[in-house]
Amino acid sequence: MLALAGFLTIGMFLAGVLSRRVSVLLALTVVPVVAALAVGAAPRLGELIGKGLTTVAPVAIMITFAVLYFCLMIDAGLFDPAVRRILRWAKGDPLKITVGTAALTVLVALDGDGASTFLITVSALLPLYQRLGMRRLVLAGVVALGAGVMNLVPWGGPTARAMAALNADSGRIFLPLLPAMLAGIAWVLLAAWLIGRAERRRIGVLDLDGEIPAASVERTRADRVRYWANVVLTLALVAALLAQVAKLEVLFVGAFVLALLVNRPKWSRQQELFERHGHNVVLVTTMIFAAGVFTGVLSGTGMIEAMARALVGVVPDWAGGALPVLTALTGMPLSLVFTPDAYYFGVMPVLAETSAALGGDPAEIARAALLGQMTTGFPLSPLTASTFILLGLAGVDLGEHQRFVFKWAFGTTVVMTAVALVTGAIQGSA
């Protein structure tokens, strides 16, 4: 009974989200409440929802201050010198420009927000691509590859969803994947080199006499002392995050307060920051808390566990050990079908519980999902709004973009999955 109710709940959630007849927010809250009433859990509904909200609260806090911190750093011009140096190094060589595009995207995407990454990188580089006659398709594709790998950071959308869905911290989900992420970055740079070499053959090298696009010089240079204070603070934050000196939400709260004191000590300036970027924070955190309702009800009523037991009965023995690899390799193609919320809150918890019932580690399924689903897949999925921001800025058709970047993005998943297998982040057999 519980298993059937669980599958029906997941089916209703996916149908509502994928058909776009209801918002994700409503699907994550109304559907599980109806399901809880149907299975007789009405007396415990408040308790289940409260527990779910408490579970995801640290993730919501972490995302709130992480987004605000990096938005503040972007507004303060932290990445401007890197943009100028990359453009001066690349000059008129399409190969260098393409590799520089990948490097710049990886740097800017440290904020974990695809939309801001696309806005900064495409705005800075599009004039140069047009000046040289390079294809816009190359710009959109390389930026998508770099942003896809960097979407793996704990304060990015996919990892935050995975952590919230399984009530796991970054030490359990993200840190084991760090070698795979570094390998993914290396692959993106190699792919950019190969793509850039083809562009160089097509149009040759143009002498720009040190010309730099106007878009990159219009940005004002931050005060030197303030700029280096931001550099030191950001490097210290990243080091503390990787060393797990404290919980992520604590580190980001502290770093954000210090960044405000350095860059915007006056309340009026702080208000400008909140008014400018607050909507991004509200959109993300609201969804995380709604996910807490969904996972709290499904877990608390025993539906997820019942669904997993049902799946264990039909999954062959050999597939149990291969489940993480299968999850990783199918994740990217599935990103064209499932939205991030539908996959991480509807599909992944069932796969994780099934893996646990077969003797595996649920966290492996989360890691495997991150290697493909929405990490390398989000910049070409028609189900994510940021994809259309990228395509609109670059002036590229969705179909052309997908055909161009799919093989390179899937290659990223394959490389990262292979490294994850070697390092033990995921297992390939029982």
Side-chain angles (χ1 to χ4, degrees):
M1 175 64 181
L2 277 178
L4 177 60
F7 284 121
L8 288 175
T9 302
I10 297 294
M12 291 173 58
F13 168 67
L14 295 178
V17 171
L18 297 179
S19 66
R20 300 188 179 182
R21 292 182 179 178
V22 296
S23 68
V24 175
L25 180 64
L26 286 178
L28 283 170
T29 52
V30 175
V31 171
V33 168
V34 172
L37 296 176
V39 299
R44 301 173 52 219
L45 188 57
E47 175 190 346
L48 298 177
I49 292 176
K51 186 175 181 180
L53 293 175
T54 303
T55 298
V56 301
V59 178
I61 295 170
M62 180 267 294
I63 290 178
T64 296
F65 287 95
V67 171
L68 289 173
Y69 178 85
F70 284 108
C71 286
L72 176 58
M73 288 297 106
I74 289 171
D75 289 349
L78 178 65
F79 302 111
D80 289 356
V83 173
R84 287 192 288 269
R85 286 187 176 89
I86 288 174
L87 294 180
R88 289 194 184 103
W89 169 74
K91 295 184 178 178
D93 187 345
L95 188 152
K96 289 184 177 181
I97 290 170
T98 309
V99 174
T101 300
L104 179 62
T105 302
V106 167
L107 178 64
V108 175
L110 187 64
D111 70 343
D113 178 40
S116 64
T117 299
F118 299 153
L119 286 167
I120 294 171
T121 53
V122 175
S123 298
L125 295 171
L126 183 58
L128 185 59
Y129 274 71
Q130 292 176 316
R131 174 73 176 84
L132 291 175
M134 295 178 66
R135 291 177 295 169
R136 293 168 176 253
L137 198 61
V138 170
L139 173 59
V142 173
V143 169
L145 291 174
V149 174
M150 294 304 293
N151 211 27
L152 192 63
V153 293
W155 48 93
T159 305
R161 289 181 178 93
M163 290 163 58
L166 297 187
N167 188 23
D169 59 22
S170 62
R172 191 177 176 199
I173 302 295
F174 171 71
L175 286 184
L177 287 177
L178 189 55
M181 181 180 177
L182 296 175
I185 293 173
W187 163 259
V188 167
L189 293 173
L190 174 61
W193 185 84
L194 294 172
I195 295 170
R197 186 176 63 172
E199 282 295 280
R200 178 198 275 174
R201 290 173 181 167
R202 188 178 68 87
I203 61 177
V205 177
L206 182 64
D207 184 7
L208 297 181
D209 296 324
E211 178 181 338
I212 300 175
S216 67
V217 297
E218 288 176 357
R219 298 178 182 271
T220 59
R221 183 181 292 273
D223 176 79
R224 183 170 296 276
V225 174
R226 184 180 303 162
Y227 169 77
W228 283 110
N230 288 334
V231 170
V232 172
L233 179 59
T234 302
L235 291 176
L237 172 61
V238 172
L241 291 170
L242 295 178
Q244 293 186 290
V245 173
K247 291 184 178 297
L248 267 66
E249 58 269 23
V250 174
L251 292 174
F252 271 114
V253 169
F256 177 65
V257 171
L258 290 175
L260 278 181
L261 292 175
V262 171
N263 295 277
R264 301 193 179 200
K266 294 184 178 179
W267 171 238
S268 60
R269 297 291 313 284
Q270 295 171 11
Q271 281 184 307
E272 293 175 4
L273 176 72
F274 297 138
E275 290 172 359
R276 182 174 180 180
H277 301 291
H279 66 285
N280 291 330
V281 174
V282 171
L283 287 173
V284 177
T285 54
T286 301
M287 212 63 66
I288 293 297
F289 280 120
V293 176
F294 190 84
T295 56
V297 170
L298 265 67
S299 298
T301 56
M303 291 186 199
I304 291 181
E305 183 180 353
M307 285 187 286
R309 286 198 302 266
L311 288 176
V312 168
V314 298
V315 173
D317 293 339
W318 65 266
L323 194 56
V325 174
L326 291 175
T327 300
L329 296 181
T330 59
M332 186 205 150
L334 287 177
S335 68
L336 303 178
V337 180
F338 291 102
T339 65
D341 300 298
Y343 186 85
Y344 284 103
F345 300 131
V347 177
M348 191 196 71
V350 178
L351 293 176
E353 193 66 29
T354 302
S355 176
L358 292 169
D361 182 0
E364 281 191 42
I365 298 297
R367 296 177 205 134
L370 291 170
L371 294 173
Q373 217 287 332
M374 303 314 299
T375 298
T376 57
F378 97 92
L380 62 144
S381 172
L383 302 177
T384 54
S386 57
T387 298
F388 295 98
I389 295 176
L390 171 64
L391 300 180
L393 290 169
V396 173
D397 176 74
L398 175 62
E400 291 180 339
H401 173 67
Q402 288 177 330
R403 287 191 293 272
F404 177 79
V405 80
F406 186 92
K407 62 182 179 182
W408 300 108
F410 190 68
T412 308
T413 293
V414 172
V415 169
M416 293 173 68
T417 301
V419 174
L421 284 168
V422 171
T423 59
I426 62 173
Q427 304 294 324
S429 60

